[in-house]
């Protein structure tokens, strides 16, 4: 995570004149999000008030053609009370611009910090926020295919091939075995909706135990709704390396989600399978990045084995314990 | 430029409780400065006011033993009206802390943007700010050796050795020739003082044509005062690649510096030599980084030849033109 495209401050200043967003007084490249370039801007309005915005330039991982889907989704969710950052329109109503040769958008800034070791209260709040997001997503008409669905996992696994075993001997066989299991058991008839698909603690802004923002919707897509809860569960309920499972966080996420949205008996029954899928999805993308990132590059490679440990946990866990009572 | 040490938001929140600095409401890793990790923090005071700070964790390039020098210098300059960021003391008066295993400081945040293509008015303002800095530095008693002085250049050149010619055939000989020239001609008796030594446009915050801050003093040291003007000149008066010299900027910096501080006849006479030294200093550090950074690393390598072009310019320039009349 870095700033990939350097935009001269003069260009940002000129860019802002398209908007009713005040004059630029500060611009700092920030190191976060998926592979985009992000600037935290501060402006002064005509009345002297200070405003902050995020300026995002989209690099190769986000397809420009998907941006209208993300924009419409955040409008839809924001209009229904979700704390999500809105894309800001310029005076001509245009939200998607070009800057330094990249697609670029001005986005609402939300305060809040991302926790690293969630308390059960924070995990519960995340579960509530996810449930509210799913409730607000009802009626959103656009669809976007999940490129990282079970077919996408097969593709990724094929690309990694024999290189899996460079990460850990036997990993290729373990992945093949898990894919076969998921092919046989992946639920076909659970409710689908727009999902966030990447609700890590990084992407939840909080103040104390209150959620102040859900961000980074660039993996959002249409898929099994309860799979989103499984992704969130796998991201929030373990030590970073996957070695320790924090049951109280899982129970808290489950309680929060049930309170805000509810979970059917069929979703509960399938939940361990969905969690295995979530763990495999991050194992595969991390393994692919691991294999394709030079060891001496100044980008932190995330350990794929942290998700193999989660996968092993989910494969053996007592289903009833995952989300508490 | 990236965030090298990731600090969990909870640790930043706990760190801030040592200070009268409000409660953390936002923390963003920012990509700037020398090789430190920097976070832009926002806090809320007890009265609801918002404050911003920079949290810096010092990585290997800054020696912890030098930090008191930098802190005292910025206190000295700030007390004399220079717009420099102050190191903030905690309730016990302590400014140097440890965080995530690194020396860490909380630093005042200054608004303003760094220009990429300075107008003559902006260049003049930078000249004024440098002159005022030198005036304010009078009476600052501490000294710090410039590790990148002429002896340091010899060391760097020796470390690069034959690898120079990988960058451009003949570069090793050109560097050796320039070092011999500077050994013979480097002025011995010009006034010395504390200098910034790295006053690139990146390190000058501006709003319009007003300087709002001088930042990044981590190369500041004791050396020939007019050498600081030469460094600034080499950084501000050329196209990025060194191919185009902007005479109006040089004249503007000269006029601003003369207005705020003044330049003696001896300093004027030595100025072309000082500029050759400044160009060689950045040529050498960039060449060293170029040789020692893998080509596929995700850090931008700065082109050493951009400073060879400046060096060639200074070696041939009409001395009187450099700073205008």
């Amino acid at each position: 995570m870095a700033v990939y495209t350097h935009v001269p401050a003069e260009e940002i200043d000129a860019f802002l004149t398209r908007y009713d967003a005040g004059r630029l007084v500060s611009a700092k490249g920030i190191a976060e999000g998926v592979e985009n370039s992000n600037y935290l801007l501060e402006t002064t309005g005509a009345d002297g008030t200070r405003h902050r915005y995020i300026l995002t330039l989209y690099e190769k991982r986000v397809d420009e053609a998907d941006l209208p889907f993300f924009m419409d989704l955040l409008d839809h969710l924001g209009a229904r009370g979700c704390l999500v950052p809105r894309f800001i329109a310029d005076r001509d109503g245009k939200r998607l611009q070009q800057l330094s040769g990249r697609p670029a958008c001005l986005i609402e800034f939300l305060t809040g910090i991302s926790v690293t070791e969630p308390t059960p209260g924070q995990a519960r709040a995340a579960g509530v926020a996810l449930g509210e997001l799913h409730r607000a997503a009802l009626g959103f008409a656009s669809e976007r295919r999940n490129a990282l669905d079970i077919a996408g996992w097969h593709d990724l696994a094929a690309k990694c091939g024999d290189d899996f075993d460079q990460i850990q001997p036997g990993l290729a066989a373990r992945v093949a075995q898990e894919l076969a299991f998921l092919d046989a058991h992946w639920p076909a008839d659970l409710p689908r909706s727009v999902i966030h698909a990447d609700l890590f603690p990084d992407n939840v802004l909080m103040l104390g135990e209150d959620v102040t923002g859900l961000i980074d919707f660039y993996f959002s897509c249409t898929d099994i709704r309860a799979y989103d809860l499984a992704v969130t569960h796998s991201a929030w309920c373990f030590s970073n390396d996957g070695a320790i499972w924090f049951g109280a966080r899982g129970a808290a996420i489950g309680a929060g989600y049930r309170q805000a949205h509810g979970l059917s008996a069929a979703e509960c029954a399938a939940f361990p399978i969905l969690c295995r899928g979530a763990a495999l999805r991050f194992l595969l993308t991390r393994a692919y990045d691991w294999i394709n990132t030079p060891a001496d590059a100044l980008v932190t490679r995330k350990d794929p084995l942290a998700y193999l440990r989660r996968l092993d946990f989910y494969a053996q866990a007592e289903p009833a314990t995952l989300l508490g009572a």
Side-chain angles (χ1 to χ4, degrees), chain A:
Chain A
M1 297 183 294
V3 174
Y4 300 88
T5 301
H6 177 77
V7 189
E10 292 96 327
E11 283 186 32
I12 298 177
D13 195 31
F15 175 86
L16 281 178
T17 61
R18 302 180 202 172
Y19 296 83
D20 286 318
R23 277 306 295 272
L24 187 67
V25 299
S26 179
K28 304 284 181 194
I30 60 175
E32 67 175 42
V34 291
E35 285 185 26
N36 298 322
S37 296
N38 289 291
Y39 288 85
L40 175 54
L41 308 185
E42 186 174 320
T43 68
T44 310
D47 57 355
T49 52
R50 291 284 169 96
H51 304 276
R52 273 149 313 149
Y53 302 97
I54 299 290
L55 169 64
T56 299
L57 282 79
Y58 296 94
E59 308 290 339
K60 57 180 190 280
R61 271 220 184 175
V62 171
D63 183 348
E64 185 171 350
D66 284 331
L67 287 172
F69 173 86
F70 302 138
M71 291 175 176
D72 292 347
L73 174 61
L74 293 183
D75 270 355
H76 180 95
L77 295 174
R80 281 153 188 82
C82 289
L83 299 167
V84 295
R86 308 285 276 271
F87 287 80
I88 293 165
D90 70 10
R91 283 195 209 85
D92 300 328
K94 222 175 124 190
R95 296 178 294 182
L96 176 56
Q97 316 272 357
Q98 291 284 321
L99 185 60
S100 289
R102 295 277 176 201
C105 294
L106 191 68
I107 299 173
E108 189 184 357
F109 171 85
L110 300 177
T111 52
I113 60 177
S114 299
V115 299
T116 298
E117 292 296 339
T119 63
Q122 289 167 332
R124 183 184 175 99
V128 168
L130 185 68
E132 289 173 346
L133 186 152
H134 288 170
R135 195 169 280 284
L138 275 174
F140 182 67
S142 302
E143 299 211 347
R144 178 173 179 262
R145 194 209 140 197
N146 187 1
L148 292 167
D149 63 3
I150 202 161
W153 307 339
H154 276 278
D155 291 347
L156 266 179
K159 281 184 191 156
C160 294
D162 295 337
D163 291 332
F164 276 125
D165 286 5
Q166 289 175 18
I167 298 172
Q168 179 169 294
L171 185 56
R174 178 76 183 83
V175 166
Q177 171 208 339
E178 188 66 22
L179 279 170
F181 173 85
L182 292 174
D183 283 340
H185 295 90
W186 196 245
D189 49 4
L190 292 180
R192 297 167 64 85
S193 78
V194 171
I195 64 171
H196 183 286
D198 194 38
L199 200 66
F200 278 63
D202 276 0
N203 293 332
V204 178
L205 300 173
M206 301 191 128
L207 289 176
E209 294 192 340
D210 296 326
V211 171
T212 58
L214 303 180
I215 60 173
D216 218 343
F217 279 76
Y218 300 108
F219 287 102
S220 65
C221 56
T222 314
D223 207 333
I224 295 172
R225 192 169 54 213
Y227 172 67
D228 214 7
L229 184 62
V231 167
T232 306
H233 191 274
S234 73
W236 284 70
C237 301
F238 295 83
S239 60
N240 209 23
D241 66 359
I244 306 170
W245 140 254
F246 297 111
R249 295 186 198 167
I253 286 177
Y257 188 80
R258 283 196 178 95
Q259 175 197 316
H261 188 280
L263 210 56
S264 71
E267 287 172 321
C268 279
F271 195 68
I273 310 288
L274 298 173
C275 288
R276 288 173 73 159
L280 184 67
R281 172 254 185 266
F282 290 99
L283 165 57
L284 287 170
T285 50
R286 287 184 172 201
Y288 181 84
D289 289 345
W290 190 271
I291 291 163
N292 293 287
T293 304
D296 56 3
L298 274 178
V299 68
T300 311
R301 302 193 301 180
K302 293 183 177 168
D303 183 6
L305 299 179
Y307 274 83
L308 178 60
R309 294 184 197 105
R310 286 166 168 85
L311 178 57
D312 288 342
F313 173 84
Y314 287 128
Q316 296 163 20
E318 185 64 45
T321 64
L322 292 178
L323 291 170

